[in-house]
């Protein structure tokens, strides 16, 4: 660097640093779901809002970290209720993102203490919603990276994937595994998704460490705001 430039930088370094800090702030102050506001809750299919616009749904085994992931992506502490007791969220919650775009938080599944009648009700509701909802453009499937692809996760993929619409898997709580173990899980699950279902993408995610936020936003943002430009068939 020429000396004159170096002197200028040293003299004005506080300005340069302030500028860089503002840039960083602007980049992180507009997350994809920043403007999400609660819209409606449904317990039955008949209570769903009439299909209009574009929806992206979040599903996952209860306690997988779905609510935490939603809150992290929304940069909001209480958008989705982080459960003290697993199995508590028993409603389909719609959040409006504006412009006829919706985020849909599906009830967590797989909690052992749910009464059988309720379990059957949710199985039927979820399978119907995932198979037939015309405005549903993509599914984010949240899995604890220590327990991926449970039988019910597979069931969700079986219901949703025949429609040809894309799935993005968030392997959450990645901070709980070593880097090697997390990457090994990522590769193994990716391979199985590719071989069995196709049209899936997958990534590591940690709400605790705020890791994987931009990668998730890029994929979900594309579904919501450039729906004609969908992800390719292969697992990325
Ligand atoms: P949900 O039932 O799928 O909505 O799961 P929650 O978001 O309520 O999370 C279940 C538990 O896992 C809570 O105790 C969270 O604090 C914890 N948790 C969620 N995400 C993470 C994460 O990224 N890292 C760690 N270490 N814990 C997490």
């Amino acid at each position: 660097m020429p000396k004159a430039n170096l002197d200028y930088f040293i003299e004005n370094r506080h300005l340069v640093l302030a500028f860089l800090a503002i840039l960083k702030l602007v980049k992180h102050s507009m997350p994809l779901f920043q403007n999400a506001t609660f819209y409606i809750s449904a317990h039955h299919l008949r209570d769903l809002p009439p299909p209009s616009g574009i929806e992206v749904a979040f599903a996952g085994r209860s306690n997988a970290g779905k609510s935490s992931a939603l809150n992290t992506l929304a940069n909001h502490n209480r958008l989705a209720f982080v459960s003290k007791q697993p199995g508590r969220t028993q409603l389909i919650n719609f959040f409006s993102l504006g412009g006829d775009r919706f985020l849909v938080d599906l009830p967590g599944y797989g909690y052992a203490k749910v009464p059988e009648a309720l379990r059957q009700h949710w199985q039927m509701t979820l399978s119907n919603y995932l198979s037939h909802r015309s405005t549903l453009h993509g599914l984010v499937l949240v899995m604890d990276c220590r327990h991926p692809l449970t039988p019910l996760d597979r069931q969700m993929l079986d219901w949703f994937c025949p429609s040809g619409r894309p799935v993005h898997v968030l392997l959450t709580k990645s901070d709980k595994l070593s880097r090697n173990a997390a990457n090994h899980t990522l590769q193994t699950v990716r391979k199985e998704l590719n071989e069995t279902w196709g049209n899936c993408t997958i990534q590591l995610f940690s709400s605790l460490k705020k890791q994987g936020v931009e990668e998730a936003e890029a994929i979900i943002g594309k579904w919501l705001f450039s729906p004609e430009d969908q992800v390719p068939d292969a697992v990325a």
Side-chain angles (χ1 to χ4, degrees):
M1 190 185 291
K3 187 165 181 319
N5 284 359
L6 190 62
D7 288 346
Y8 178 83
F9 178 77
I10 290 170
E11 272 169 31
N12 296 288
R13 63 186 181 282
H14 57 288
L15 285 179
V16 175
L17 291 176
F19 180 65
L20 289 176
I22 289 168
L23 266 187
K24 198 171 168 199
L25 210 66
V26 167
K27 197 164 161 234
H28 289 285
S29 65
M30 289 185 291
L32 185 63
F33 302 147
Q34 174 86 25
N35 296 323
T37 51
F38 177 74
Y39 186 70
I40 202 169
S41 279
H43 184 69
H44 296 280
L45 289 170
R46 61 175 180 268
D47 303 327
L48 294 178
S52 151
I54 295 178
E55 289 162 29
V56 167
F58 277 64
R61 182 170 166 252
S62 97
N63 212 38
K66 174 166 59 69
S67 310
S68 304
L70 277 167
N71 289 336
T72 300
L73 290 167
N75 201 16
H76 193 307
N77 282 338
R78 289 186 59 84
L79 182 73
F81 181 69
V82 174
S83 46
K84 295 275 175 289
Q85 291 165 287
R88 283 205 32 186
T89 319
Q90 291 294 345
L91 292 166
I92 299 181
N93 290 316
F94 277 69
F95 296 91
S96 168
L97 302 171
D100 240 3
R101 304 299 199 263
F102 297 94
L103 181 63
V104 183
D105 184 12
L106 297 172
Y109 46 81
Y111 182 56
K113 291 185 187 158
V114 170
E116 187 52 30
L118 190 60
R119 188 197 315 279
Q120 283 187 10
H121 164 75
W122 280 116
Q123 282 215 358
M124 202 199 60
T125 307
L126 284 178
S127 74
N128 253 294
Y129 174 80
L130 291 174
S131 311
H132 302 304
R133 180 79 172 170
S134 60
T135 41
L136 181 57
H137 276 239
L139 174 68
V140 179
L141 196 50
V142 177
M143 302 179 198
D144 185 325
C145 65
R146 297 164 303 171
H147 316 286
L149 284 176
T150 63
L152 286 171
D153 294 332
R154 291 163 187 275
Q155 177 75 82
M156 302 293 283
L157 289 160
D158 286 344
W159 282 330
F160 185 70
C161 290
S163 67
R165 290 165 293 174
V167 175
H168 186 56
V169 173
L170 292 185
L171 289 176
T172 54
K173 310 192 192 181
S174 62
D175 56 277
K176 297 239 185 203
L177 291 181
S178 70
R179 186 187 293 244
N180 271 351
N183 280 329
H184 177 73
T185 305
L186 179 68
Q187 304 306 340
T188 313
V189 179
R190 174 180 284 151
K191 185 164 179 285
E192 184 159 0
L193 289 170
N194 201 8
E195 287 171 358
T196 312
W197 293 280
N199 209 11
C200 301
T201 45
I202 182 167
Q203 66 162 106
L204 295 168
F205 191 88
S206 167
S207 296
L208 188 74
K209 304 270 183 195
K210 308 270 182 280
Q211 274 162 4
V213 173
E214 288 178 12
E215 192 178 348
E217 282 182 343
I219 289 186
I220 302 164
K222 206 164 159 185
W223 293 350
L224 285 166
F225 299 105
S226 320
E228 66 290 342
D229 188 19
Q230 294 282 318
V231 268
D233 269 0
V235 175

